[in-house]
Amino acid sequence: MRLFATLLAGSLLAAPALSQNFDVAALRDAALKDDVAWDITEGLTTEIGPRLAGTEAEARARAWSVARLKALGFANARIEPFDMPVWVRGEEKAEILSPFPQKLVLAALGNSGATPDDGITAEIAMFPSLAALEAADRAQVQGKIVFVDHAMGRTQDGSSYGAFGGARRKGPSIASKKGAVAIVIRSIGTDFHRNPHTGVQSWEDGASPIPAAALSLPDAEQLNRIIARGKPVTMKLTLTPRNIGTRQSGNVMAEVPGRDPSAGIVLVGCHLDSWDLGTGAIDDAAGCGIVAAAAKRVMDAGKPLRTIRVVWFGAEEVGLRGGIAYRDAHLQEKHVVLAESDFGADRIYKFDSYVNPAALPVIDALATALAPIGIARGHNQARGGSDIGPLAATGVPVVSLSQDGTRYFDLHHTPDDTLDKVDRAQLAQNVAAWTAMIATIANSPVELGPVAPTGGK
Ligand code: ZN
Ligand code: ZN
């Protein structure tokens, strides 16, 4: 196997033709003029718009997606439904009553509790970090509206989101357990527009829901300055989100059947749901456009050895529900590799893999195919983000094509996540990279596994 793989990689270096009718370099270069990804992104954001998980809008998006994937020529376009509890936003208002009366801009976090319709009024207790809140005595928090600040900065790889996102993910539960009446955080974002960044948080066992919201960065800094004047600061907060009970979500799937049905599945994914403030263009309509456009290009070039499965997952934003439902339904199927596009639409600059060392010659071939479009090879410890994470953790090979995230958290989960933020040339570079990846792996007879399970969800 190793010898064969080496020969395969060698032949790719010598001549681009990998197998019947597949000239990876030619497919890649043609994809640099792709319009399909843009058409999907434009269509989904225009004809559906915001697609909050479990809502009627997400259901319309599923119907739209099945129709579009069929029209593009994919086989077996279908919906796999699942049920979920649904939370929807209500009214959201905040104002400083004293010492310097003024309104502030914020948005509720997913699963936030509600205030009474006429709001709550309490003194602010500020913490400069999540760690400071964790270390606080109950007496500092009880009866207060907690304000958690932090210092998230830009990173190309998005690692600051993991590092600082705890203020959103864990802050509300910690504040609730210490007796806070509500929590507001500095948005997990990097822009300085008056756009709050929403996002999910979940109540830990023993934490009763309290109102939880994110201030835009300018508003968080304003609040910080007001507090720095040294007088007690009183805020009136009105948040009226609701839990509307169990509703249906679902994953949309479609396939390019392979020549050998026993050769397994190359899964390429994205998520169809979005937050409700913008139209979910960079998060994640663009990802859906990228993976479907790339799969179509390979499909149109001839029948691949392995089946390509496009999955547009549902309900990612509210806790990877689509990814978990997919893992539970498809654990027994042979997945050759998992890959997901869910980090915007800016250019891919690096890729990582998680394959058996014996299969690294396939990754060598992929590196050769990606280098001409500016993509550097990374490590072989990729874990696979968002929806593919649950299945990847059971021990399935992964390829991660990393997009430049420098401006991603300017837009992520804000009202500003709209189509005009998608750069068509960068979007097409994504399609070119994904096309090369799918063409390489779906036509290689080399097995990428086995790989060890990595654990987690
Ligand atoms: Zn996303
Ligand atoms: Zn998101």
Side-chain angles (χ1 to χ4, degrees):
M1 184 67 86
R2 186 189 295 264
L3 177 64
F4 183 78
T6 306
L7 288 172
L8 184 78
S11 72
L12 186 77
L13 288 171
L18 186 64
S19 71
Q20 63 172 42
N21 302 325
F22 282 89
D23 180 335
V24 173
L27 283 172
R28 176 200 65 212
D29 291 345
L32 290 170
K33 297 188 181 71
D34 179 80
D35 284 327
V36 174
W38 173 264
D39 289 345
I40 290 170
T41 309
E42 193 268 352
L44 198 51
T45 54
T46 304
E47 296 171 27
I48 308 296
R51 306 171 295 283
L52 186 65
T55 64
E56 175 275 341
E58 197 205 27
R60 273 189 286 124
R62 286 193 293 282
W64 185 98
S65 301
V66 168
R68 176 60 64 102
L69 290 164
K70 277 185 185 161
L72 288 169
F74 289 100
N76 308 323
R78 63 198 186 276
I79 297 167
E80 288 191 350
F82 54 85
D83 288 338
M84 57 170 285
V86 176
W87 173 96
V88 294
R89 190 176 303 284
E91 190 182 4
E92 30 206 26
K93 289 191 301 197
E95 60 181 306
I96 301 298
L97 298 184
S98 67
F100 310 127
Q102 57 190 285
K103 291 180 178 170
L104 298 179
V105 177
L106 48 55
L109 299 174
N111 299 316
S112 167
T115 66
D117 287 349
D118 56 354
I120 55 169
T121 299
E123 195 176 317
I124 294 279
M126 185 179 86
F127 299 93
S129 65
L130 181 67
L133 173 62
E134 282 176 312
D137 292 336
R138 194 179 173 86
Q140 295 172 264
V141 173
Q142 180 110 38
K144 305 273 179 58
I145 297 174
V146 161
F147 168 43
V148 179
D149 214 346
H150 60 82
M152 179 177 171
R154 294 172 189 281
T155 47
Q156 187 178 31
D157 67 359
S159 54
S160 57
Y161 186 55
F164 292 94
R168 187 189 86 208
R169 292 189 296 269
K170 298 197 279 186
S173 288
I174 295 167
S176 170
K177 286 180 177 176
K178 290 181 192 265
V181 296
I183 178 171
V184 295
I185 65 165
R186 176 180 169 120
S187 281
I188 307 301
T190 52
D191 65 298
F192 281 86
H193 295 281
R194 285 189 95 176
N195 289 327
H197 296 237
T198 189
V200 78
Q201 61 84 36
S202 306
W203 300 106
E204 291 169 8
D205 289 346
S208 30
I210 56 173
L215 293 158
S216 81
L217 268 62
D219 289 270
E221 295 201 347
Q222 179 80 333
L223 179 56
N224 190 311
R225 284 191 296 270
I226 291 170
I227 292 165
R229 298 299 200 266
K231 295 182 178 137
V233 177
T234 304
M235 175 185 275
K236 181 175 182 191
L237 180 65
T238 307
L239 293 177
T240 60
R242 292 177 299 135
N243 294 301
I244 60 170
T246 300
R247 296 282 193 277
Q248 199 169 71
S249 181
N251 295 326
V252 173
M253 297 160 51
E255 282 157 8
V256 181
R259 297 195 299 275
D260 178 357
S262 69
I265 295 158
V266 172
L267 187 157
V268 293
C270 64
H271 65 86
L272 186 57
D273 66 308
S274 77
W275 275 106
D276 51 349
L277 301 177
T279 61
I282 64 149
D283 187 15
D284 183 26
C288 294
I290 289 162
V291 300
K296 177 174 168 53
R297 285 180 172 276
V298 177
M299 173 172 71
D300 290 348
K303 198 163 188 154
L305 171 66
R306 304 182 193 273
T307 293
I308 303 162
R309 180 177 288 167
V310 175
V311 187
W312 293 2
F313 291 92
E316 188 272 350
E317 294 290 7
V318 294
L320 303 182
R321 289 179 180 276
I324 292 166
Y326 182 90
R327 175 201 62 196
D328 293 348
H330 297 277
L331 190 58
Q332 301 311 322
E333 282 180 284
K334 178 181 173 181
H335 289 88
V336 177
V337 72
L338 309 175
E340 180 156 6
S341 177
D342 182 22
F343 200 50
D346 283 354
R347 73 178 186 89
I348 296 170
Y349 68 99
K350 179 189 77 148
F351 83 101
D352 302 309
S353 59
Y354 182 49
V355 303
N356 190 294
L360 283 172
V362 180
I363 304 303
D364 295 341
L366 181 54
T368 301
L370 295 179
I373 51 172
I375 299 171
R377 184 175 186 163
H379 55 66
N380 191 40
Q381 289 143 7
R383 288 296 174 261
S386 52
D387 305 278
I388 61 169
L391 182 57
T394 68
V396 181
V398 166
V399 169
S400 292
L401 295 164
S402 301
Q403 291 157 303
D404 187 330
T406 307
R407 67 177 189 137
Y408 187 65
F409 292 103
D410 290 355
L411 307 169
H412 179 252
H413 298 182
T414 73
D416 236 2
D417 179 3
T418 49
L419 183 68
D420 48 288
K421 310 308 183 304
V422 176
D423 178 292
R424 291 185 75 152
Q426 295 196 62
L427 185 70
Q429 187 261 12
N430 276 259
V431 178
W434 279 81
T435 300
M437 188 276 285
I438 296 169
T440 300
I441 294 177
N443 287 294
S444 166
V446 177
E447 296 300 337
L448 300 186
V451 293
T454 53
K457 255 187 191 179

